Amino acid sequence: MSQLKLTYFDMHGGRGEPARLALHIGGVAFEDSRFGFADFAEVRKSTPLNQVPTLHVDGVQVTQSDAINRYVGKLAGLYPLDAFQALLCDEVLDAVEDANVKLGTTFGLTGEALKEARTALVNGALPLYLGWLQTQLQAHGGQFFADHRLTIADLKVFVFVNGLNSGRLDHVPTDLVEQVAPLLSAHTQRIAQTPAVAQYYAQFGL
Ligand SMILES: N[C@@H](CCC(=O)N[C@@H](CS)C(=O)NCC(=O)O)C(=O)O
């Protein structure tokens, strides 16, 4: 088995979290290299694109969260073998990443500019993406996004929805997902109750 080191912020969310969860669920050994926000300026100098997450695989440093998610998904048995189911899984990963990028454009803003940008998302892009995710979930059986079983797509959506619900995003109502896409909310709760996921967060006292 390859030596794995995942480098990401010391937080329970964001682009690095689905891979941490997948590796834990799959029982795949890895070094969970976490750092505080204050250390990001230093850490990013050691990454190829000045970004995180990165995954070292036997010393080779790889970028791009969804490439990492697919790779660790395969190692953990959380990525479809069937080509079409893999396509459905990838579609969800990429859509959530698009939504992450839209949210990311608001991160440097403050005051009225932040309020305006976040409110525009709450009234536009976020309901669009959340509604689409809910439709995908229903279309594929209502429980999981692909392959009728837990995949990395479920973990990506789980982390995304938890972020929206967290209250850490000013001007994003913590009940937005429940209001706009209640079946997605139920999906997040189910994933949270999956024994390996619950056990993962219990390690952190959550
Ligand atoms: N496409 C990249 C985006 C990574 C990314 O933007 N990461 C954020 C933290 S979650 C970051 O490092 N931002 C700093 C920057 O882009 O300069 C991926 O999916 O991994």
Side-chain angles (χ1 to χ4, degrees), residues 8-182:
Y8 196 63
F9 294 107
D10 186 14
M11 62 185 281
H12 300 298
R15 289 186 171 94
E17 186 76 350
R20 284 182 183 141
L21 282 169
L23 290 165
H24 173 81
I25 293 167
V28 180
F30 73 108
E31 183 187 340
D32 189 4
S33 176
R34 295 165 174 264
F35 61 88
F37 289 103
D39 295 326
F40 181 49
E42 200 51 40
V43 172
R44 69 190 303 178
K45 290 182 197 161
S46 67
T47 72
L49 296 174
N50 297 324
Q51 290 178 328
V52 288
T54 67
L55 182 70
H56 283 83
V57 182
D58 291 332
V60 177
Q61 191 175 25
V62 178
T63 69
Q64 303 308 322
S65 56
D66 284 330
I68 293 168
N69 286 337
R70 276 185 281 274
Y71 174 69
V72 301
K74 288 169 193 167
L75 298 182
L78 296 172
Y79 189 76
L81 297 176
D82 175 81
F84 180 63
Q85 293 303 321
L87 171 64
L88 297 179
C89 181
D90 288 351
E91 183 187 27
V92 167
L93 294 180
D94 288 357
V96 173
E97 195 48 35
D98 275 1
N100 280 336
V101 168
K102 288 178 195 295
L103 266 173
T105 62
T106 66
F107 279 177
L109 304 175
T110 55
E112 272 307 304
L114 176 65
K115 187 175 177 185
E116 207 172 293
R118 290 267 167 91
T119 304
L121 288 177
V122 165
N123 292 326
L126 287 174
L128 176 69
Y129 279 80
L130 292 169
W132 179 82
L133 286 168
Q134 176 169 266
T135 303
Q136 294 304 102
L137 187 63
Q138 281 177 289
H140 304 143
Q143 299 290 306
F144 301 108
F145 281 96
D147 223 13
H148 302 286
R149 65 185 179 99
L150 185 74
T151 69
I152 191 76
D154 297 288
L155 301 178
K156 180 99 177 177
V157 175
F158 170 74
V159 171
F160 175 61
V161 169
N162 277 335
L164 294 177
N165 289 347
S166 69
R168 287 193 305 265
L169 296 170
D170 289 346
H171 311 295
V172 176
T174 54
D175 66 348
L176 177 71
V177 181
E178 179 62 34
Q179 295 302 324
V180 169

